[in-house]
Amino acid sequence: MSQQRHGSPPGNGSGNVPAFPDLPEATIARLPEYLRALHNLGEGGADTISSEGLAAAAGVNSAKLRKDLSHLGSYGTRGVGYDVALLIEQIEYVLGLDQRRAVCLVGVGNLGHALAGYDGFASRGFKIVALFDADEAKVGERIHGLIVRHIDELGQVAVEESIAIGVIATPAGAAQAVADELVAAGVTSILNFAPCVLSVPANVDVRKVDLAIELQILSFHEHRKATLTALPGGRSATGAGSQEAVGS
């Protein structure tokens, strides 16, 4: 991941990021996809990329991409496209990836084990610094170099490690209590894998990841395609043409 001075907006001239842009939620959700595509392009030796090329790599349409990037003050150069390295810096700055975020993970069941060993966190600017569980049988277990601590230690460790983000990978019944512990420890960003809705103060941001819900949404699209195909004059699966990824 490219590095830059902390707190200093990247870019030069017309490519500067506006003093902190107020971005639509949909744009924020797409910026990581653009960043992933840009890193792949940069690793492949590309110095510039057209809006059409970047849109194809990110799985969105080019008009949507150009509008999103305009919020960052980045418009590309006619006939040349976007500077890959500069755009990476701009997006990393806006996403706050110019500094490494300390993350704690609560719940070390099967999902927690998998998340604790996911290499993608470190490569994207995040470091899991602590693991917690309420099960005494799991406390003391070493997982990917970290010792599982009891949930009662969360407040102390959160301060010592300057934890910015808490990840909840517990059963649904325990998730609210864990969220309360994280909030009490001063953590104001939570990634929730538990299948439930959390109640948190207004200053706490929660992102929910529910794989069953994602599958249900895909099931709807499968049902819709099958229904359209079955109608008189309906399109066949092979004749429907390419589609933008669902939800992008």
Side-chain angles (χ1 to χ4, degrees), residues 12-209:
N12 50 42
S14 61
N16 282 339
V17 178
F20 206 84
D22 186 13
L23 303 178
E25 284 294 325
T27 295
I28 297 169
R30 288 189 289 267
L31 288 180
E33 293 294 337
Y34 302 153
L35 186 59
R36 174 192 55 77
L38 286 162
H39 275 300
N40 290 339
L41 290 163
E43 290 166 5
D47 294 321
T48 60
I49 184 67
S50 67
S51 59
E52 290 79 9
L54 180 54
V60 303
N61 66 62
S62 58
K64 186 180 292 182
L65 177 139
R66 286 191 295 269
K67 183 176 181 180
D68 287 341
L69 298 184
S70 71
H71 290 295
L72 310 186
S74 188
Y75 299 92
T77 303
R78 184 178 296 277
V80 176
Y82 294 93
D83 181 304
V84 171
L86 175 59
L87 195 50
I88 286 174
E89 288 186 5
Q90 289 177 318
I91 294 175
E92 286 185 347
Y93 170 74
V94 169
L95 292 178
L97 301 181
D98 53 344
Q99 53 186 299
R100 189 168 293 273
R101 305 284 178 181
V103 178
C104 72
L105 172 64
V106 185
V108 291
N110 292 335
L111 177 58
H113 267 79
L115 292 171
Y118 177 50
D119 292 335
F121 290 138
S123 65
R124 289 167 172 80
F126 304 93
K127 181 181 181 182
I128 295 183
V129 297
L131 305 175
F132 298 97
D133 206 288
D135 186 348
E136 295 286 357
K138 294 177 181 176
V139 174
E141 182 181 350
R142 181 179 292 274
I143 301 175
H144 299 286
L146 291 173
I147 300 296
V148 178
R149 301 168 182 253
H150 194 275
I151 187 67
D152 290 346
E153 297 183 56
L154 194 153
Q156 175 187 342
V157 176
V159 174
E160 292 174 351
E161 298 287 352
S162 299
I163 291 172
I165 299 172
V167 178
I168 298 177
T170 65
Q176 182 62 56
V178 170
D180 294 342
E181 293 271 3
L182 289 168
V183 171
V187 176
T188 55
S189 291
I190 297 173
L191 181 61
N192 180 30
F193 282 88
C196 64
V197 176
L198 299 177
S199 176
V200 297
N203 69 318
V204 176
D205 292 301
V206 177
R207 295 288 296 179
K208 183 180 178 183
V209 181

